[in-house]
Amino acid sequence: MAEITRRTMLKIAGGATMSLGFPGRILAVLQDGTLVVADHRVPAEKNLTPGWKAGLIQKGEKEIWAGTALDTIGMPVGGIAAGQLYLCGDGSLGCWEIFNHHEYQNEGPYSYAMRPIPKLVEFGFSIGVGGRIWKLSKSSYHDISFNGTYPVAVVTYRDSACPVETVMNAYSPFIPLNAKDSALPATIFEIAVKNTSNETVDVDLTGFLENACSQSGESHPGTRKRYSRVTTFTGFSCLTHSADESRHEMADERSSPRSEIMISDFEGDTYGNWKVEGEAFGTGPAKGTLPNQNPVTGYIGKGLVNSYFNGDGTTGKLTSPEFTVERDFINFKIGGGNQPGKECINLIVNGKLVRTATGQNDENLLWETWSVTELAGQTAHIEIVDNGTGGWGHINIDQIAQSDRIQSRTDLDARHGNANLDTGTLALALLADGRVESQDQYGFDPPFIGNVRTPRIRLQPNESHSVTYVLSWNFPHHPNGHNYVNYFKDAETVARYVSDHYPRLSRDTKLWRDTYYDSTLPYWLLDRLHMTAGNLATGVTEWRKNGLFWCWEGVVCCSGTCTHVWNYEHSLGRLFPELERNIRGLTDFGVGFDDATGLVGMRSDREYAADGQCGTILKAYREHLVSPDDRFLKQYWPKIKKALQFLITHDGNGDGIIEDAQPNTYDIDFFGANTFVGSLYLGSLRAGEEMAKEMGDNDFANQCGAIFKSGSEATMKRLWNGEYFIQEVDEKKYKQYQYGPGCLADQLFGQGWAHQVGLGYLYPPDKVAKGLQSVWKYNWAPDVAGQNKRWPPQRPFALPGEAGLFTCTWPIGGREQDPVLYRDEVWTGIEYQVAGNMVWEGMVEEGLSICRAIHERYHPSKRNPYNEVECSDHYARALASWGVYLALAGFQYHGPAGRIGFAPRITPNDFKTAFTTAEGWGTFTQKIEDGKQTASIKLAWGKLSVKEFSVETELLAEVAATLGGRKLDATVMRTGRTVTVQLRRPLTLKVGQSMEVRLS
């Protein structure tokens, strides 16, 4: 047959794919031998039920969870970048990652699963009534309900045998535009007890907290101490735990060391006389790396203990024969998971644990040494334990020997460079007079649990009483420090700050909660779009002692505030814009910026990511828009301009299309013209044009405008196939990791950005709409099973029976053997990005269907609703959810120019939603009835400077603007359906004030 190129094939196939036969039918054979097939299993017709569609926009009932659904819930309740702490469904606390150590939870089948939440610290509350104690958890109560309205959760406890109903509000202060108070290392618990009986009852309410400071200190029990301090004054009763810092004390080496006594070098085919339990260790030592394991290094000889037999899901224990301690030290090599108590090697003497060590989440084995001089002559044995599952659920051990020499001080320094990571203070305070039960000084074993009790509460029938507790922490030894240590010397000073400012912190947090939820948007949607904001209060973020706000992609996964992943994020940019300006100034245009070229390093380095470089320009423009004045733009304009000029150099001929190697968020390089990078590039050119105009740099503005125009036109000629935008790539040269004629879900990423920051259309509006319709048609499946059966995903983030949006599909064929990485996966960040883009285009049903599918995939009956995973937990890309929220309101804002506008995409006749600006936040309300339209903005917090207020209307109308009923002097402009009220005298809205526009 005659040569058929990809473009020829696309023109032949056009939009008639569905008539070409059953999936798998060969359409053509290209000259290079590639089969062009229609092997596509995403149904074009989604067959959504009327009930599903109606439920997308109906207000509905607020979801309150109970029963087994409580088991998966883990709502972040620590401050932004203050560690990671979960409020579990029953009101207990879990995932205690406030000690400067976070667990990498892997990716794929394990991470996207119903996982138990570890609860490693004894903490909680109990009530005593009539001689019986009820702990506020599922251990005592069977009737518990959880109402999550992030950032506040309400947990209610009832029991037929208990005459008291208890309601607990739990939260960490979360106040948009107030980053400092939203980053407190503290959690507030407001506990109300109500007498539901007909008799007077006495209630004893107690908070209890284990001293969990310096958990690593348990590796040398007896050499370090823990402490508790009591502080009481009127209205404040506080228990503060602490512990000795590690001094790395090690006995001196003998001048004439005795010969070494080998305990085991694991060179045999079996474990010999060691006792083997479970399956994790196999029947004998491993011979290096096991199947599907990252390379294991650092062991000596051919064998070692490696508990990765059959992966991280197995458990077990090895126990050595007894031996007598006859040397000053025990040396061994260790690697594998960092899970104290679960993945560890233990020294047991006379039945008591006296030493323990764990890995460092690294397959490389390093030397570890225990000093055992004080144990000389005693009988001991060693246990090697694998009791963890999931990521890094294994341990590697080799060469255990008694010696009078420390084997490697270099390795000890590498393993214990900061042995005080978890040394600090932990406090529980009652914001009232109370009684603290404690000890002054004690050892590590057994753990000590202190109590903070309220005075006895006497309740008459139907009477209620409320108390407030604060859990706070301060662990200053993070390798990069914590911003909070600049303000607080220990956990008690944190608790005192919360006590002193409690009325304001509580009021403002709940004011945001109430403002956000006082909306016409459906409850399920409000929940879903704001749940991801909890990612900011996890191990994803660090606010360092030097002031730098720095981020991972997921919890301790992929470092450096990655420019391309954080391209998708909008929640931080709108809720806490000062932190985004921090990232731009200190990272993108700071340590990550190459002054010589304008490169913005992908991970604060000197690596190029094409999509990240483009996104940096768009983010800089957003940060300017969400500023009260133009100081940010003036300060960083030279670097913003140079960063954009760097992109223009990659557009070699200046035609508006980048065609060279384009490293990107799919962890590969695209080659040739495409609209994933291309739309972001055009968006960055438009942003650069607008910023240049504001800076009076007209020559550069004109250059950007000309390149943009050329690129937009050339894209339509080269990449539009009649249904969607494709990639133009040299197939003979670049056959791996490209998408060619595929339908990429992210193909209009830049257009979504352009809508959000008011840059208009990058391509003809009808083609944008058609392209998004094709993404809906070809990429979103009501059930992923069919497509994933034919094309199994590398990592499953949606399971059979669940709906999801595929990264890329090939509805008209042309799928290469190894196309774009992650093509068959479902990422919530992409889903939110696409959904928001669809909403801007009026595709509300489609956009909300995508969001609803996410909400159902993350229902607590399946998995933690507050943890949308990708590569590790709480993946940052999911913060794209706020883009959907902005699109639903049609929100536009330019802080320095004083412009604000709304164009609701859902229920415009009766619409109400929260909004945030540079210095204040409040509520927008719009009603249309009887030929009249009223739109108003009411400020709830801060202040808002307004020069222009725009709304969308069908009315050819008279317009009147008022402030508190007083008419404002204004002119009116109309552009299409947009009416703009321009105030002759700018005003500053204050808390409680409303500006209203009436059209009739």
Side-chain angles (χ1 to χ4, degrees):
M1 60 183 295
E3 179 179 357
I4 303 177
T5 67
R6 287 285 165 81
R7 286 192 49 76
T8 305
M9 188 64 240
L10 291 169
K11 290 179 179 178
I12 294 172
T17 307
M18 300 306 294
S19 66
L20 292 173
F22 61 89
R25 179 177 176 181
I26 298 175
L27 304 181
V29 180
L30 304 188
Q31 193 173 46
D32 63 3
T34 299
L35 297 181
V36 181
V37 300
D39 211 352
H40 180 73
R41 307 294 174 87
V42 176
E45 297 298 325
K46 311 307 177 186
N47 295 319
L48 302 178
T49 67
W52 166 282
K53 294 180 180 180
L56 295 175
I57 61 174
Q58 291 172 348
K59 182 66 179 178
E61 298 291 329
K62 178 68 180 71
E63 289 180 283
I64 298 176
W65 295 312
T68 57
L70 301 178
D71 295 342
T72 64
I73 296 171
M75 186 181 95
V77 286
I80 294 172
Q84 183 168 317
L85 183 66
Y86 282 172
L87 180 74
C88 299
D90 66 349
S92 59
L93 293 185
C95 195
W96 286 79
E97 297 184 5
I98 60 175
F99 305 105
N100 298 322
H101 170 75
H102 295 283
E103 291 291 340
Y104 170 62
Q105 294 294 349
N106 216 310
E107 51 194 286
Y110 174 75
S111 64
Y112 188 68
M114 183 183 290
R115 286 186 264 148
I117 295 173
K119 301 177 182 181
L120 303 181
V121 177
E122 282 292 321
F123 167 85
F125 304 94
S126 65
I127 62 169
V129 183
R132 181 175 171 182
I133 303 297
W134 280 269
K135 289 181 67 174
L136 298 188
S137 71
K138 65 180 182 180
S139 65
S140 293
Y141 287 89
H142 299 292
D143 185 359
I144 304 175
S145 65
F146 183 99
N147 184 1
T149 51
Y150 193 82
V152 181
V154 181
V155 187
T156 303
Y157 304 86
R158 301 181 183 91
D159 192 293
S160 59
C162 182
V164 173
E165 177 186 274
T166 304
V167 177
M168 181 172 71
N169 284 260
Y171 58 93
S172 185
F174 185 97
I175 306 163
L177 310 184
N178 182 351
K180 179 183 175 182
D181 282 340
S182 300
L184 295 173
T187 308
I188 296 172
F189 301 88
E190 298 165 347
I191 302 173
V193 289
K194 179 180 180 181
N195 182 359
T196 57
S197 74
N198 296 321
E199 298 178 357
T200 300
V201 297
D202 290 332
V203 179
D204 295 313
L205 180 56
T206 302
F208 55 90
L209 174 65
E210 175 189 349
N211 188 342
C213 300
S214 299
Q215 293 171 329
S216 60
E218 296 173 7
S219 63
H220 287 75
T223 65
R224 296 170 67 182
K225 297 293 184 182
R226 282 174 169 160
Y227 308 90
S228 294
R229 181 178 73 242
V230 176
T231 304
T232 59
F233 52 83
T234 302
F236 186 82
S237 307
C238 184
L239 169 68
T240 304
H241 293 316
S242 62
D244 284 331
E245 291 195 352
S246 171
R247 294 181 292 276
H248 295 303
E249 292 182 352
M250 193 73 72
D252 292 333
E253 294 178 301
R254 295 172 181 259
S255 58
S256 299
R258 294 165 289 183
S259 61
E260 183 179 81
I261 303 173
M262 179 62 67
I263 296 175
S264 183
D265 60 7
F266 302 106
E267 289 299 300
D269 293 328
T270 70
Y271 290 113
N273 52 5
W274 284 61
K275 180 182 177 181
V276 183
E277 300 175 58
E279 300 178 356
F281 297 96
T283 58
K287 304 303 179 184
T289 306
L290 294 172
N292 300 316
Q293 185 178 23
N294 289 325
V296 175
T297 58
Y299 59 96
I300 296 174
K302 297 181 179 180
L304 77 156
V305 173
N306 181 347
S307 71
Y308 195 76
F309 278 90
N310 296 318
D312 278 332
T314 55
T315 60
K317 183 168 71 172
L318 289 178
T319 304
S320 77
E322 290 187 339
F323 59 90
T324 301
V325 177
E326 300 179 62
R327 297 292 185 267
D328 295 338
F329 307 104
I330 295 178
N331 296 315
F332 54 90
K333 302 209 78 174
I334 183 170
N338 185 338
Q339 297 189 42
K342 291 186 175 182
E343 304 298 335
C344 55
I345 179 172
N346 300 326
L347 179 64
I348 310 297
V349 175
N350 297 325
K352 188 175 182 178
L353 173 69
V354 295
R355 301 286 189 273
T356 185
T358 188
Q360 295 183 303
N361 289 349
D362 195 325
E363 301 291 14
N364 182 44
L365 282 74
L366 298 177
W367 284 107
E368 175 61 288
T369 298
W370 288 330
S371 177
V372 291
T373 53
E374 81 278 14
L375 302 175
Q378 299 191 49
T379 300
H381 71 270
I382 286 174
E383 296 175 344
I384 304 174
V385 179
D386 178 350
N387 198 31
T389 57
W392 289 107
H394 64 278
I395 187 167
N396 306 326
I397 298 290
D398 197 15
Q399 302 293 316
I400 307 174
Q402 297 192 61
S403 176
D404 285 337
R405 292 267 188 212
I406 296 171
Q407 190 68 42
S408 173
R409 291 188 181 273
T410 300
D411 279 10
L412 287 182
D413 288 343
R415 279 183 48 81
H416 302 287
N418 191 347
N420 288 309
L421 275 179
D422 57 359
T423 301
T425 51
L426 189 60
L428 179 62
L430 170 66
L431 305 191
D433 295 338
R435 178 162 53 95
V436 181
E437 299 173 351
S438 181
Q439 297 179 18
D440 293 335
Q441 176 180 319
Y442 42 91
F444 279 71
D445 188 23
F448 173 72
I449 301 171
N451 299 314
V452 183
R453 301 183 185 275
T454 68
R456 177 160 290 179
I457 303 166
R458 175 155 291 179
L459 296 175
Q460 300 300 321
N462 208 40
E463 184 181 5
S464 298
H465 182 80
S466 298
V467 298
T468 299
Y469 282 89
V470 176
L471 172 70
S472 57
W473 56 92
N474 189 310
F475 292 93
H477 299 294
H478 189 281
N480 298 301
H482 289 291
N483 186 61
Y484 64 65
V485 304
N486 294 316
Y487 309 103
F488 306 110
K489 68 176 183 178
D490 59 15
E492 181 186 319
T493 56
V494 176
R496 287 195 185 203
Y497 179 86
V498 175
S499 178
D500 292 343
H501 299 273
Y502 170 70
R504 175 179 58 81
L505 296 173
S506 178
R507 180 195 67 225
D508 289 357
T509 298
K510 293 173 184 174
L511 179 62
W512 169 249
R513 186 266 315 267
D514 295 343
T515 300
Y516 177 76
Y517 275 93
D518 184 15
S519 171
T520 54
L521 294 177
Y523 275 122
W524 73 264
L525 185 61
L526 290 167
D527 282 346
R528 179 48 48 200
L529 299 184
H530 204 14
M531 281 174 163
T532 57
N535 291 0
L536 302 175
T538 70
V540 170
T541 57
E542 296 179 11
W543 198 350
R544 296 178 171 178
K545 187 177 181 180
N546 65 3
L548 174 69
F549 194 81
W550 185 96
C551 309
W552 301 86
E553 293 180 21
V555 175
V556 292
C557 171
C558 306
S559 64
T561 318
C562 177
T563 57
H564 57 67
V565 168
W566 283 81
N567 265 359
Y568 292 77
E569 175 275 316
H570 299 300
S571 302
L572 183 68
R574 297 294 177 163
L575 297 174
F576 300 99
E578 69 175 275
L579 297 180
E580 282 285 5
R581 291 193 293 269
N582 178 304
I583 295 172
R584 298 291 86 71
L586 299 182
T587 298
D588 290 351
F589 301 125
V591 296
F593 191 76
D594 187 336
D595 289 303
T597 64
L599 167 70
V600 177
M602 174 175 62
R603 301 186 187 277
S604 310
D605 49 22
R606 291 298 179 267
E607 295 296 321
Y608 169 52
D611 51 346
Q613 185 88 13
C614 295
T616 299
I617 308 302
L618 288 160
K619 286 177 278 193
Y621 187 47
R622 177 190 62 195
E623 272 60 276
H624 168 56
L625 297 181
V626 194
S627 296
D629 51 45
D630 61 2
R631 284 180 293 175
F632 172 84
L633 180 58
K634 285 181 176 178
Q635 180 177 357
Y636 293 107
W637 171 243
K639 291 187 175 181
I640 296 169
K641 179 179 178 180
K642 194 156 193 173
L644 184 49
Q645 289 172 325
F646 178 89
L647 283 169
I648 293 172
T649 63
H650 279 267
D651 174 12
N653 57 6
D655 66 349
I657 297 179
I658 295 176
E659 300 178 67
D660 62 358
Q662 299 152 63
N664 61 68
T665 201
Y666 302 111
D667 298 328
I668 45 85
D669 295 0
F670 284 153
F671 293 90
N674 66 87
T675 58
F676 172 61
V677 171
S679 65
L680 288 166
Y681 178 44
L682 293 183
S684 69
L685 288 166
R686 282 286 296 115
E689 179 182 8
E690 294 300 317
M691 288 186 280
K693 289 177 181 177
E694 292 194 38
M695 293 302 300
D697 192 345
N698 294 325
D699 288 343
F700 190 62
N702 291 336
Q703 180 187 4
C704 291
I707 298 173
F708 163 77
K709 184 175 184 295
S710 171
S712 180
E713 292 174 353
T715 298
M716 294 310 304
K717 293 177 181 177
R718 295 172 58 183
L719 303 182
W720 179 250
N721 78 344
E723 284 196 288
Y724 54 85
F725 294 92
I726 62 169
Q727 177 193 19
E728 187 180 80
V729 59
D730 184 337
E731 300 152 349
K732 295 180 180 179
K733 191 174 182 181
Y734 305 110
K735 290 185 67 66
Q736 189 179 41
Y737 298 146
Q738 310 305 299
Y739 67 93
C743 186
L744 189 74
D746 263 337
Q747 64 185 264
L748 286 164
F749 189 7
Q751 182 62 72
W753 259 106
H755 281 319
Q756 189 186 133
V757 294
L759 297 174
Y761 279 94
L762 307 180
Y763 310 112
D766 62 323
K767 302 303 188 293
V768 170
K770 181 65 174 178
L772 290 171
Q773 289 164 7
S774 297
V775 170
W776 169 254
K777 179 179 180 180
Y778 295 132
N779 295 60
W780 191 79
D783 184 346
V784 300
Q787 183 77 353
N788 274 169
K789 183 177 181 180
R790 177 61 187 90
W791 304 109
Q794 181 175 344
R795 304 167 299 181
F797 300 120
L799 300 179
E802 297 176 338
L805 183 80
F806 291 108
T807 298
C808 192
T809 68
W810 284 261
I812 57 173
R815 175 176 173 138
E816 294 283 3
Q817 183 176 355
D818 195 7
V820 56
L821 207 58
Y822 312 126
R823 60 268 178 182
D824 302 304
E825 296 184 358
V826 173
W827 297 354
T828 66
I830 292 179
E831 289 181 297
Y832 287 129
Q833 184 276 118
V834 171
N837 213 342
M838 288 177 172
V839 170
W840 280 110
E841 294 302 320
M843 297 171 61
V844 174
E845 181 179 296
E846 294 87 344
L848 295 191
S849 291
I850 292 173
C851 295
R852 181 70 192 190
I854 299 172
H855 193 61
E856 294 189 356
R857 294 203 307 268
Y858 284 92
H859 189 276
S861 63
K862 298 180 177 181
R863 47 193 65 89
N864 185 357
Y866 294 92
N867 180 16
E868 296 179 19
V869 301
E870 193 182 311
C871 187
S872 192
D873 285 348
H874 298 284
Y875 203 72
R877 205 187 310 267
L879 291 161
S881 62
W882 203 255
V884 181
Y885 190 76
L886 297 172
L888 289 164
F891 181 67
Q892 297 290 326
Y893 177 68
H894 192 309
R899 297 198 299 262
I900 189 168
F902 298 85
R905 293 326 200 242
I906 181 174
T907 63
N909 292 345
D910 184 14
F911 183 82
K912 188 176 187 180
T913 191
F915 66 86
T916 61
T917 62
E919 298 178 290
W921 40 265
T923 300
F924 169 75
T925 305
Q926 177 173 287
K927 288 188 178 294
I928 304 173
E929 57 184 351
D930 300 329
K932 297 179 181 179
Q933 181 172 340
T934 302
S936 66
I937 48 177
K938 183 176 182 179
L939 203 66
W941 189 94
K943 62 182 180 179
L944 172 60
S945 298
V946 181
K947 298 176 184 177
E948 295 183 4
F949 180 18
S950 299
V951 294
E952 195 171 89
T953 184
E954 298 285 355
L955 302 174
L956 298 171
E958 293 184 2
V959 180
T962 60
L963 175 65
R966 176 176 58 86
K967 187 173 182 179
L968 297 172
D969 187 9
T971 60
V972 177
M973 286 181 51
R974 181 163 191 137
T975 305
R977 299 174 58 193
T978 301
V979 169
T980 301
V981 175
Q982 298 177 319
L983 302 178
R984 297 188 189 278
R985 296 183 60 185
L987 64 85
T988 299
L989 282 179
K990 299 177 181 178
V991 171
Q993 289 185 318
S994 296
M995 179 180 174
E996 183 176 271
V997 172
R998 295 181 179 178
L999 304 96
S1000 59

